[in-house]
């Protein structure tokens, strides 16, 4: 006896449909409550939306990341990296990757990142209007990567253009024409990184340590670098706009963040990431039959762990749709989980925890726009096209 497939009710818009991408949360909320392991006939994917089930998808070896990348809706391959491999290759690539993005590398950049944040804020026009995406998020992400890679000031504009163009490869469902442009951009980015890695061997920057590590072939090293840019630059850039979109309407939260110490600032970053993470899901393929709490997956199932749905699961988070800056514990999955937990998590936490409190202290009258947010149509990263903000007087 076969069971009829579960379908979203007519009043809900499919979260992958153009009209549903602006606010996918109602559809995910319904799926989590009614069909948490859902076979979606439109995409032919299994959507897993409950927190416990998503955590299993991220940690259980029966869910293959390598096959998950090969089974994307696009037919182009990503370069070999931590994202596209399973154990033991994954661990072999990840250990050298920590030389670039691990906690020790981030600590070595701490003073420089604080200087970069202050310099960025110094350039903002007091009393004027800026775009949080173009004037805060992107310059911040570029400054971070300039520190990681030892980029000269004269090359920052070129690097940012390459990073933006290549980041289209994050989206597994981008149309073919844009996918082709993304492939070309990724190739250009790889050539640039290959040349630049040779120029910084004698510099005291994290890239030099990675480039000198003999555990990786040149192609593998470039795959790690490519992933660090494609999977890190744009999500960091877009997180700033997403975070301010959530934060600025909540004036008590703004005041609290302005007075925050380092611990509260980091809790606030995790909470803002929980609510609107730039990476909303991750792909896997089952290598065997798997029973989850919310349903059964057959072998060869193409699975999306919908992290943005898991991060609002009321079984795990009290008042899951509310912003609570001091939420603790906060076991969100915005950085993934298991062996593929985002290697750049310490960098994102530290950078955002530097920027956001400094921004609202410097501009206490900071205000966001009225009206509906202008969400981009891309599925990954989840981002705003723009977020115009009024700075007000500076302190």
């Amino acid at each position: 006896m076969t069971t009829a497939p579960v379908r979203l009710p007519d009043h809900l818009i499919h979260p992958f449909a153009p009209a549903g991408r602006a606010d996918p949360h109602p559809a995910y909320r319904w799926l989590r409550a009614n069909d948490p392991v859902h076979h979606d006939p439109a995409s032919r994917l299994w959507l897993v939306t409950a927190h416990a089930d998503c955590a299993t998808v991220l940690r259980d070896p029966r869910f293959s990341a390598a096959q998950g990348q090969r089974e994307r809706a696009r037919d182009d391959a990503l370069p070999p990296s931590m994202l596209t491999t399973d154990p033991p290759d994954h661990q072999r690539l990840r250990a050298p990757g920590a030389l670039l993005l691990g906690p020790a590398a981030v600590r070595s950049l701490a003073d420089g990142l604080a200087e970069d944040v202050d310099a960025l804020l110094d350039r903002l026009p007091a009393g004027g209007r800026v775009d949080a995406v173009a004037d805060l998020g992107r310059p911040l992400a570029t400054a971070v990567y300039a520190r990681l890679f030892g980029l000269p000031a004269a090359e920052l504009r070129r690097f940012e253009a390459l990073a933006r163009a290549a980041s289209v490869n994050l989206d597994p469902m981008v149309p073919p024409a844009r996918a082709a442009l993304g492939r070309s951009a990724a190739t250009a980015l790889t050539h640039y990184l290959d040349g630049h890695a040779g120029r910084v061997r004698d510099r005291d920057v994290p890239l030099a340590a990675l480039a000198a590590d003999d555990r990786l072939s040149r192609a593998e090293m470039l795959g790690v670098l490519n992933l660090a840019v494609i999977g890190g630059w744009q999500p960091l850039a877009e997180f700033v706009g997403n975070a301010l979109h959530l934060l600025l309407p909540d004036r008590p939260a703004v005041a609290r963040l302005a007075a925050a110490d380092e611990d509260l600032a980091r809790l606030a970053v995790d909470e803002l990431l929980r609510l609107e993470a730039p990476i909303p899901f991750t792909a896997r393929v089952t290598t065997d039959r798997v029973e989850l709490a919310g349903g059964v997956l057959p072998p060869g199932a193409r699975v999306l762990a919908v992290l943005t749905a898991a991060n609002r699961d009321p079984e795990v988070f009290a008042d899951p749709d509310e912003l609570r800056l001091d939420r603790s514990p906060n076991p969100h999955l915005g950085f993934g989980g298991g062996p593929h937990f985002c290697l750049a998590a310490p960098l994102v936490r530290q950078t955002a925890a530097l920027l956001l409190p400094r921004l609202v202290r410097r501009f206490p009258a900071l205000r966001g726009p009225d009206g509906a947010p202008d969400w981009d149509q891309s599925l990954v990263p989840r981002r705003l096209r723009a977020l115009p903000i009024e700075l007000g007087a500076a302190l």
Side-chain angles (χ1 to χ4, degrees):
M1 177 179 177
T2 59
T3 304
V6 175
R7 296 185 178 274
L8 283 168
D10 291 341
H11 70 279
L12 291 175
I13 303 173
H14 194 288
F16 296 167
R21 296 181 186 191
D23 185 11
H25 300 298
Y28 288 145
R29 188 181 303 118
W30 188 91
L31 287 173
R32 195 179 53 233
N34 295 278
D35 196 29
V37 177
H38 171 76
H39 186 258
D40 176 44
S43 63
R44 293 180 295 173
L45 298 169
W46 291 82
L47 308 183
V48 177
T49 49
H51 187 281
D53 288 341
C54 282
T56 299
V57 172
L58 295 170
R59 294 180 173 90
D60 193 311
R62 292 174 294 176
F63 293 88
S64 169
Q67 292 187 38
Q69 292 304 314
R70 289 196 294 268
E71 291 290 338
R72 300 186 313 158
R74 292 165 51 174
D75 59 7
D76 54 315
L78 294 178
S81 70
M82 294 167 283
L83 183 66
T84 61
T85 52
D86 293 324
D89 284 339
H90 174 80
Q91 290 93 328
R92 186 175 61 80
L93 296 172
R94 187 178 180 92
L99 295 171
L100 182 70
L101 293 169
V106 174
R107 284 194 297 271
S108 75
L109 303 178
D111 292 341
L113 291 177
E115 292 173 8
D116 291 335
V117 168
D118 287 335
L120 174 59
L121 297 181
D122 288 343
R123 294 195 296 269
L124 298 180
R129 171 183 286 194
V130 298
D131 177 10
V133 177
D135 300 321
L136 286 172
R138 290 174 191 158
L140 176 67
T142 298
V144 168
Y145 276 79
R147 294 279 177 185
L148 286 171
F149 291 177
L151 298 172
E155 293 189 15
L156 295 186
R157 184 172 294 181
R158 180 185 178 195
F159 170 79
E160 182 171 318
L162 287 170
R164 288 186 65 189
S167 292
V168 73
N169 290 288
L170 283 170
D171 194 336
M173 298 182 186
V174 73
R178 288 192 65 206
L181 292 175
R183 289 194 296 274
S184 297
T187 299
L189 176 64
T190 299
H191 287 317
Y192 172 79
L193 294 172
D194 191 13
H196 181 70
R199 295 191 291 270
V200 297
R201 282 190 174 274
D202 298 326
R203 300 271 306 278
D204 185 19
V205 295
L207 172 56
L210 175 64
D213 192 289
D214 60 6
R215 289 173 290 180
L216 299 180
S217 68
R218 188 72 174 181
E220 289 169 338
M221 185 273 290
L222 290 171
V224 171
L225 282 183
N226 216 294
L227 174 62
V229 177
I230 292 175
W233 181 89
Q234 184 126 23
L236 175 56
E238 307 303 350
F239 173 66
V240 174
N242 292 6
L244 290 174
H245 154 67
L246 293 165
L247 177 67
L248 292 182
D250 190 336
R251 301 315 297 178
V254 171
R256 188 167 189 193
L257 186 59
D261 60 13
E262 183 177 337
D263 290 339
L264 178 56
R266 288 174 181 261
L267 288 176
V269 168
D270 274 305
E271 176 68 349
L272 292 162
L273 186 74
R274 178 185 73 83
L275 287 167
E276 286 293 2
I279 306 298
F281 46 71
T282 191
R284 299 287 189 270
V285 169
T286 54
T287 60
D288 200 350
R289 181 179 184 274
V290 182
E291 293 187 19
L292 298 173
V296 177
L297 292 165
R302 301 164 65 221
V303 178
L304 285 187
V306 186
L307 310 180
T308 194
N311 285 344
R312 297 188 182 216
D313 190 336
E315 294 295 320
V316 178
F317 304 99
D319 300 315
D321 297 320
E322 291 186 10
L323 174 64
R324 293 186 176 181
L325 291 187
D326 59 352
R327 189 183 294 271
S328 182
N330 189 347
H332 71 83
L333 301 176
F335 292 121
H340 287 269
F341 184 82
C342 179
L343 195 58
L347 183 68
V348 173
R349 284 184 168 122
Q350 176 156 328
T351 305
L354 284 169
L355 173 71
L356 295 175
R358 279 172 161 81
L359 175 66
V360 295
R361 285 182 204 127
R362 180 83 66 97
F363 301 100
L366 184 70
R367 290 290 188 279
D370 296 325
D374 185 16
W375 291 105
D376 191 84
Q377 281 292 296
S378 67
L379 285 172
V380 185
R382 177 156 172 77
R383 63 185 178 190
L384 293 162
R385 288 192 181 94
L387 185 72
I389 56 177
E390 301 285 346
L391 292 172
L395 289 183

